[in-house]
Amino acid sequence: MNEIKLFCPATIANVSCGFDVLGLCLDSTGDEMIVRKTPEKGVKITKIIGQDLPLETEKNVAGVAVLAMLKEIDSEFGFEIEINKKIKPGSGIGSSAASAAGAVFGVNKLLNKPFSKEKLVEFAMMGEALASGAPHADNVAPALLGGFTLVKGYEPFEVLKLQTPSELFATVIHPQIEVKTADARSVIKQNIPLKKAIMQWGNLAALVSALYTEDYDLLSRCLHDEIVEPMRSPLIPGFFKVKEAAKNAGALGSGISGSGPSIFALSKGEATAKKVATAMAEIYKDFGVAYDTHVSTINTEGIKIM
Ligand code: HSE
């Protein structure tokens, strides 16, 4: 095999109570990517369609992720990458993660899979470090492993794939403003009161239990963010109105998708998820903010070969 074409899915990081550790994979939107073998060693980004992003390997999230990988293996050939960016950078649904994860997945496949998907997460994280200054894995892990993923720890790095309840759907609304992850991270205080930490880890642990027992009511009670959402919500116009509209339309819960500005909601069943999308959109219609919405199953596979 000399060439591979991939669908690199969008993802929702944090999922309210799991800042930097919890994420889930979407199916409704994603980048497309072609990875090709070349006789010259190294990696080149040859084409980017849809967004104005750097082609220089060291400045491109896909490029640095593959460079991290090639440091650990002696490949007799190199790679070139074409990216059709369908996920807008700064939208909060893992744009940089899709490119970084797709690139390492594609190269690994063309090398006959020397690395596990968990190891690929670590390489892809180098792309996130370039994009936001912080090597977080809560977008690249669900993009690579699919479903819900949990980073058990960063030092040493350990990531787990969790179970996905069968009737769970995600709704995402993306107000057309850009929030850079680095900026959204700069508003977060570095210390938190113990009382809030207790609420957060209680919710996170119970959410994991709810995923395995398919307990949608428990899942609903866990979708709270005591720590980061209060600090970031001022960056997103109409955030609390959108949350309220989602809840009233039957969502299990909602929150900031990754570092925003997209807002996600989770629902039991597609019909409810669609009602939630309409209700969320009504708020932005009133605000006069341009937006787009999508409803998605949870993609339990992750990156797909097209
Ligand atoms: N956990 C990261 C953050 C995700 O919230 O900054 C960014 O998509």
Side-chain angles (χ1 to χ4, degrees):
M1 191 196 288
N2 290 318
E3 180 179 302
I4 189 166
K5 190 172 181 195
L6 303 168
F7 168 74
C8 314
T11 45
I12 295 172
N14 302 333
V15 200
S16 294
C17 54
F19 179 72
D20 272 3
V21 297
L22 188 64
L24 66 83
C25 190
L26 297 170
D27 217 14
S28 50
T29 183
D31 293 346
E32 286 168 19
M33 180 178 279
I34 296 172
V35 184
R36 216 173 272 126
K37 276 187 193 170
T38 58
E40 318 83 67
K41 289 189 177 192
V43 53
K44 273 196 189 128
I45 315 295
T46 49
K47 200 198 251 181
I48 300 175
I49 306 168
Q51 295 293 330
D52 187 18
L53 292 166
L55 286 167
E56 296 99 304
T57 304
E58 291 80 9
K59 291 187 185 162
N60 183 287
V61 296
V64 296
V66 175
L67 285 177
M69 183 174 178
L70 293 180
K71 262 194 209 151
E72 293 204 14
I73 193 162
D74 190 23
S75 167
E76 76 238 34
F77 41 81
F79 302 91
E80 60 181 38
I81 298 174
E82 290 178 21
I83 311 171
N84 185 353
K85 283 294 308 167
K86 301 214 165 162
I87 314 172
K88 258 195 191 162
S91 57
I93 49 169
S95 176
S96 51
S99 295
V104 294
F105 180 97
V107 168
N108 193 48
K109 186 88 183 160
L110 295 178
L111 287 170
N112 285 326
K113 300 215 256 178
F115 298 107
S116 68
K117 282 192 179 176
E118 288 76 8
K119 188 66 194 167
L120 295 182
V121 172
E122 290 189 66
F123 299 134
M125 235 161 62
M126 295 304 111
E128 295 292 61
L130 176 71
S132 70
H136 60 90
D138 47 345
N139 291 107
V140 289
L144 280 157
L145 302 177
F148 278 82
T149 57
L150 179 77
V151 179
K152 187 251 169 220
Y154 280 91
E155 286 173 21
F157 186 74
E158 195 174 340
V159 63
L160 311 171
K161 181 171 178 169
L162 307 173
Q163 192 159 305
T164 299
S166 53
E167 291 175 76
L168 200 62
F169 279 77
T171 307
V172 177
I173 186 157
H174 172 213
Q176 306 284 307
I177 50 170
E178 187 184 351
V179 174
K180 290 206 167 74
T181 297
D183 296 338
R185 292 182 82 87
S186 72
V187 303
I188 301 171
K189 293 193 196 101
Q190 292 303 307
N191 295 301
I192 52 169
L194 181 62
K195 205 175 152 188
K196 284 185 188 267
I198 292 168
M199 287 193 239
Q200 197 88 346
W201 61 53
N203 279 330
L204 179 58
L207 182 142
V208 173
S209 169
L211 295 179
Y212 281 84
T213 54
E214 304 225 359
D215 185 338
Y216 295 90
D217 291 334
L218 177 60
L219 180 58
S220 173
R221 296 198 298 280
C222 299
L223 288 169
H224 290 288
D225 179 358
E226 292 293 329
I227 295 166
V228 179
E229 187 176 288
M231 298 182 223
R232 281 179 169 174
S233 51
L235 303 173
I236 306 170
F239 175 71
F240 290 105
K241 286 216 154 88
V242 173
K243 258 181 96 95
E244 197 188 326
K247 195 85 192 166
N248 291 340
L252 299 168
S254 61
I256 303 173
S257 176
S259 54
S262 288
I263 303 169
F264 80 94
L266 294 181
S267 301
K268 184 180 179 186
E270 191 174 16
T272 306
K274 283 184 174 163
K275 262 174 63 188
V276 169
T278 309
M280 288 168 126
E282 286 300 325
I283 303 297
Y284 280 131
K285 268 188 206 149
D286 289 351
F287 266 70
V289 176
Y291 62 86
D292 56 50
T293 58
H294 42 108
V295 169
S296 179
T297 51
I298 312 302
N299 166 0
T300 54
E301 191 184 336
I303 295 167
K304 292 176 185 173
I305 298 170
M306 295 174 77

